[in-house]
């Protein structure tokens, strides 16, 4: 997956240049760098530039409009709104792609934003695809093997990792059983079972992309992605699933910037307040519980400081975390990058003349 341009980088470079001018001939003073302010500046201009990018890409592909999977989450809501503002509601088509473990609110909120924008949309449940491949049955077998008390009639499930800020680098996944909204037990997953579960869950995202391309090719539209920069950097998308799109207008915007864009675009407050999630477990599981393992405003500041090589003391002041925890977090992020490099990479090609 490739990013065209870098609004975040340009913003930081201009700010650091300004700091350099203030202290010409002296050591640069980063003391007034506020990361969240940097991320939230010039949001109106950012929205304008993203709309221009969308138009350039769609016209460059010689397509008539945009197909977009609408999940009821903030990323797809922002992308949908920007596409409608640039191309008009008549040239944007929304797809609601629920399956039986999706939260009911996903479909409801997705339909609401399509209707509020006047976008034509269609609901295409993907459960029949998932069932035909035996995904639900295979997943249930692993959960039953791991959790002896599991009863699918009374329990909901989620896959969770320990809170990084409180438990450090420990990276042991576990299945959580929920009854009547309350967690009643947790069971540690074996490595092989964890890998198989991830593979099974990823089929859902790949199935959704099959449907999106079926509609896009019928309409002569592009498929618009909704991956943000936080997800991109961490490899938090499914290769040839939600990562298999024609363009990624939000992939240089940290999740924090997506929230700022949503407020600027006046996205439904219920969508803005909804915890971000892949929404592939019967119990709605937020990305903070599973993938990020910390609050998003902390993760984004750590990623930003690391990307722009800000001094440790600046990261400490901005996040409120002690230096040793920040350094452990940066090592943790580096490991995630290393292990997900294959997700971000295009297939290597062997060239005959080399």
């Amino acid at each position: 997956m490739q990013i065209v341009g870098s609004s975040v980088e340009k913003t930081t470079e201009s700010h650091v240049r300004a700091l350099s001018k203030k202290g010409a001939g002296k050591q640069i003073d980063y003391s007034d760098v506020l990361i969240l302010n940097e991320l939230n500046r010039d949001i109106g201009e950012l929205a304008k530039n993203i709309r221009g990018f969308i138009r350039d890409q769609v016209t460059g592909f010689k397509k008539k409009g945009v197909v977009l999977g609408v999940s009821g989450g903030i990323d797809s809501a922002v992308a949908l709104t920007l596409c409608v503002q640039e191309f008009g509601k008549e040239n944007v088509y929304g797809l609601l792609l629920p399956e039986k473990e999706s939260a009911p609110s996903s479909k409801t909120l997705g339909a609401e934003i399509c209707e509020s924008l006047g976008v034509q949309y269609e609901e295409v449940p993907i459960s029949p695809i998932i069932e035909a491949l035996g995904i639900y049955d295979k997943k249930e077998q692993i959960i039953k093997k791991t959790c002896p008390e599991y009863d699918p009639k009374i329990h909901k499930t989620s896959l969770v990792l320990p809170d990084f800020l409180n438990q450090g680098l420990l990276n042991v996944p576990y299945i959580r059983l929920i009854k009547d909204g309350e967690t009643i037990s947790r069971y540690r997953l074996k490595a092989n079972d964890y890998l198989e579960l991830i593979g099974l869950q990823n089929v859902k995202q790949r199935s959704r992309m099959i449907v999106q391309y079926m509609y896009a090719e019928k309409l002569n539209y592009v498929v618009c992605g909704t991956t943000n920069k936080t997800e991109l950097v961490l490899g938090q998308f499914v290769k040839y699933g939600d990562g298999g799109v024609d363009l990624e207008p939000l992939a240089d915007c940290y999740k924090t910037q997506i929230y700022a864009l949503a407020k600027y675009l006046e996205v439904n407050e219920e969508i803005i307040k909804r915890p971000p999630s892949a929404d592939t477990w019967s119990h709605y599981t937020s990305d903070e519980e599973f993938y990020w393992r910390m609050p998003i405003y902390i993760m984004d500041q750590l990623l930003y400081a690391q990307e722009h090589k800000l001094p440790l003391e600046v990261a400490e002041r901005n996040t409120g975390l002690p230096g040793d925890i920040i350094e452990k977090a940066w090592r943790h992020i580096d490991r995630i990058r290393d292990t997900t490099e294959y997700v971000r990479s295009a297939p290597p090609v062997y060239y005959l003349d080399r």
Side-chain angles (χ1 to χ4, degrees):
M1 190 179 293
Q2 184 178 7
I3 303 175
V4 179
S6 180
S7 60
V8 177
E9 186 173 346
K10 290 174 183 175
T11 301
T12 301
E13 285 177 353
S14 63
H15 190 77
V16 171
R17 280 198 299 269
L19 290 172
S20 300
K21 289 178 182 178
K22 287 182 185 178
K26 302 177 183 178
Q27 186 175 1
I28 297 175
D29 178 14
Y30 294 92
S31 60
D32 65 344
V33 174
L34 298 177
I35 294 174
L36 291 179
N37 287 352
E38 293 291 328
L39 290 173
N40 289 320
R41 69 167 67 237
D42 301 327
I43 294 301
E45 185 70 14
L46 176 59
K48 175 184 174 182
N49 291 340
I50 293 173
R51 287 195 297 268
F53 168 82
I54 294 170
R55 174 162 291 279
D56 289 346
Q57 299 305 309
V58 174
T59 55
F61 284 130
K62 296 180 173 56
K63 299 296 183 179
K64 295 180 179 179
V66 177
V67 163
L68 197 142
V70 185
S71 67
I74 193 168
D75 299 306
S76 64
V78 167
L80 182 71
T81 303
L82 291 169
C83 287
V84 170
Q85 288 181 351
E86 187 61 30
F87 283 102
K89 61 186 180 182
E90 65 278 4
N91 296 311
V92 180
Y93 198 84
L95 287 169
L96 310 182
L97 303 164
E99 46 96 12
K100 71 178 187 180
E101 291 187 313
S102 301
S105 57
S106 298
K107 183 170 67 175
T108 301
L109 292 171
E112 285 179 1
I113 191 166
C114 286
E115 290 169 4
S116 69
L117 293 170
V119 171
Q120 185 178 357
Y121 70 95
E122 187 172 342
E123 179 185 340
V124 184
I126 63 166
S127 294
I129 302 174
I130 309 302
E131 288 170 342
L133 295 171
I135 301 300
Y136 295 124
D137 290 341
K138 292 173 184 175
K139 178 178 173 182
E140 193 165 293
Q141 289 170 15
I142 294 173
I143 295 173
K144 284 181 176 178
K145 179 176 67 174
T146 304
C147 315
E149 64 183 293
Y150 171 64
D151 183 344
K153 295 179 181 178
I154 62 174
H155 295 132
K156 291 185 178 295
T157 59
S158 65
L159 179 62
V160 182
L161 289 167
D163 179 351
F164 178 86
L165 298 183
N166 292 321
Q167 299 190 42
L169 295 176
L170 185 65
N171 192 20
V172 179
Y174 57 88
I175 294 288
R176 184 170 60 178
L177 296 186
I178 298 97
K179 181 180 178 181
D180 300 326
E182 299 291 331
T183 299
I184 59 170
S185 55
R186 301 188 303 181
Y187 293 89
R188 179 173 175 172
L189 264 174
K190 294 180 179 179
N192 289 342
D193 290 336
Y194 170 73
L195 292 174
E196 184 174 357
L197 276 175
I198 294 300
L200 294 172
Q201 294 293 80
N202 288 348
V203 172
K204 297 179 180 182
Q205 308 293 12
R206 293 183 176 117
S207 299
R208 290 188 170 103
M209 200 49 61
I210 289 172
V211 177
Q212 289 183 61
Y213 269 99
M214 180 178 70
Y215 278 80
E217 290 170 356
K218 178 179 72 172
L219 296 168
N220 197 25
Y221 283 8
V222 299
V223 175
C224 181
T226 62
T227 300
N228 59 63
K229 185 169 186 174
T230 308
E231 295 167 339
L232 180 68
V233 170
L234 298 173
Q236 189 187 352
F237 58 90
V238 178
K239 196 167 189 175
Y240 307 120
D242 51 335
V245 295
D246 294 319
L247 66 151
E248 287 283 16
L250 306 180
D252 197 37
C253 301
Y254 284 109
K255 189 75 173 187
T256 299
Q257 291 173 293
I258 302 298
Y259 282 106
L261 281 166
K263 291 179 181 178
Y264 173 79
L265 297 170
E266 299 182 344
V267 168
N268 181 347
E269 192 67 25
E270 195 172 350
I271 291 177
I272 294 176
K273 290 181 177 178
R274 190 183 194 213
S277 170
D279 193 22
T280 57
W281 287 84
S282 58
H283 178 74
Y284 191 83
T285 306
S286 77
D287 291 331
E288 290 184 353
E289 293 176 286
F290 174 64
Y291 208 92
W292 301 331
R293 301 175 60 197
M294 63 184 74
I296 184 56
Y297 74 94
I298 295 291
M299 175 60 83
D300 274 357
Q301 290 183 93
L302 291 173
L303 289 171
Y304 185 96
Q306 188 182 50
E307 177 187 4
H308 298 291
K309 298 179 174 59
L310 298 181
L312 178 61
E313 57 268 24
V314 174
E316 288 177 308
R317 178 170 52 78
N318 277 268
T319 63
L321 297 175
D324 63 324
I325 295 296
I326 291 173
E327 289 177 333
K328 286 180 182 178
W330 280 338
R331 291 197 296 272
H332 171 61
I333 290 167
D334 287 339
R335 276 196 286 273
I336 293 175
R337 280 198 182 106
D338 288 343
T339 57
T340 59
E341 178 62 30
Y342 80 98
V343 178
R344 291 184 296 276
S345 300
V349 175
Y350 171 71
Y351 293 100
L352 300 181
D353 59 351
R354 289 185 183 176

